[in-house]
Amino acid sequence: MSLFSNTAVLLGKELRTEFRSRELLTTTVVFILVVVVLFSFTFDASSAESQRFAASLLWLAFLFAASLMLQPCFLREQSNDTLSALRLSVKDPFAIFAAKLSANTLFLLLTELLMLPVFSVLFNVPVFPVIGRLVLVLFLGSLGVSIAGTALSAISAQARMRELLLPLLLFPLLAPVLAASTQVTVGCWTLRLS
Amino acid sequence: MKWKGIGYLVIFDVVFLTALWLFGEYLLEE
């Protein structure tokens, strides 16, 4: 089997596992909703200040959601030692990473797209007129977060203080992605507002 | 639209994906 067919089979397994339990998506959506609502109490939605800080708050909320979502990525495979079975079943080990990072990107994008209308209302920022550009930024940003996060999740899954290690390694590593994503998101909104 | 930011994101994604492709095998070692 080629890399693509292996990846497709493993991606199907990841999606089935998640959509059967829905534990990861539900938890993340509720968590990110609470974070965004709490952020919205700080700023007056009608002010220009709110629109200026909205992009950084949006990406900060997505970062928190990603750290929550990426944690069980490889931990699931530890309980019954299914990682060894996965490694034996594929020719190229990259297929395991490709499937997991594709699934993480999809889950993260789904969460972000669900949150955008809520965020638009709470922070009074134009989301729908610039949805095409926003989807491009969200896709590239989420892909970057997922790639780095999946690699670090594999490293931290075998460590002793794994719950602490992943955010500790992930946040500094994702600083360039967050800076670039925030800059482009602000660019999308100011282009529309000006 | 800030294309410089998009460029940074694309470069980050490509570099980290290549690194994962090259060295991913070692991350799965027990």
Side-chain angles (χ1 to χ4, degrees), chain A residues 6-173:
Chain A
N6 277 329
T7 307
V9 170
L10 290 176
L11 178 62
K13 172 232 155 216
E14 292 289 329
L15 296 179
R16 269 196 305 279
T17 311
E18 179 50 37
F19 285 116
R20 270 181 198 157
S21 62
R22 290 193 198 94
E23 56 185 17
L24 210 59
L25 274 175
T26 319
T27 322
T28 313
V29 168
V30 172
F31 175 73
I32 200 171
L33 187 69
V34 171
V35 170
V36 168
V37 169
L38 281 175
F39 279 159
S40 74
F41 288 142
T42 323
F43 298 101
D44 176 17
S46 59
S47 68
E49 190 191 33
S50 166
Q51 290 165 349
R52 202 153 52 89
F53 288 114
S56 50
L57 295 177
L58 181 74
W59 278 99
L60 203 60
F62 290 161
L63 179 69
F64 291 156
S67 72
L68 194 72
M69 198 175 261
L70 290 163
Q71 191 81 57
C73 175
F74 275 91
L75 276 180
R76 270 184 195 155
E77 314 294 348
Q78 294 266 321
S79 54
N80 293 320
D81 200 20
T82 44
L83 190 61
S84 303
L86 280 181
R87 285 185 64 202
L88 287 172
S89 64
V90 292
K91 192 179 165 190
D92 189 349
F94 182 67
I96 300 171
F97 283 109
K100 286 200 181 284
L101 80 87
S102 308
N104 286 334
T105 310
L106 280 174
F107 296 148
L108 207 55
L109 271 177
L110 195 65
T111 315
E112 288 165 359
L113 290 176
L114 283 172
M115 281 316 299
L116 273 182
V118 181
F119 196 81
S120 172
V121 172
L122 289 175
F123 284 85
N124 194 23
V125 284
V127 165
F128 294 105
V130 287
I131 193 74
R133 292 167 188 165
L134 265 183
V135 167
L136 176 68
V137 184
L138 288 178
F139 173 72
L140 289 174
S142 305
L143 188 64
V145 170
S146 296
I147 293 169
T150 308
L152 291 178
S153 177
I155 296 170
S156 66
Q158 292 159 20
R160 203 154 43 91
M161 292 171 69
R162 52 182 76 108
E163 285 83 11
L164 188 70
L165 196 63
L166 181 66
L168 206 68
L169 296 172
L170 191 67
F171 291 170
L173 190 68

Side-chain angles (χ1 to χ4, degrees), chain A residues 87 94 97 140 144 158 177, chain B residues 9 12-13 21 24 27-29:
Chain A
R87 285 185 64 202
F94 182 67
F97 283 109
L140 289 174
Q158 292 159 20
V177 177
Chain B
L9 285 175
F12 184 93
D13 290 355
W21 175 53
L27 298 181
L28 296 175
E29 294 286 330

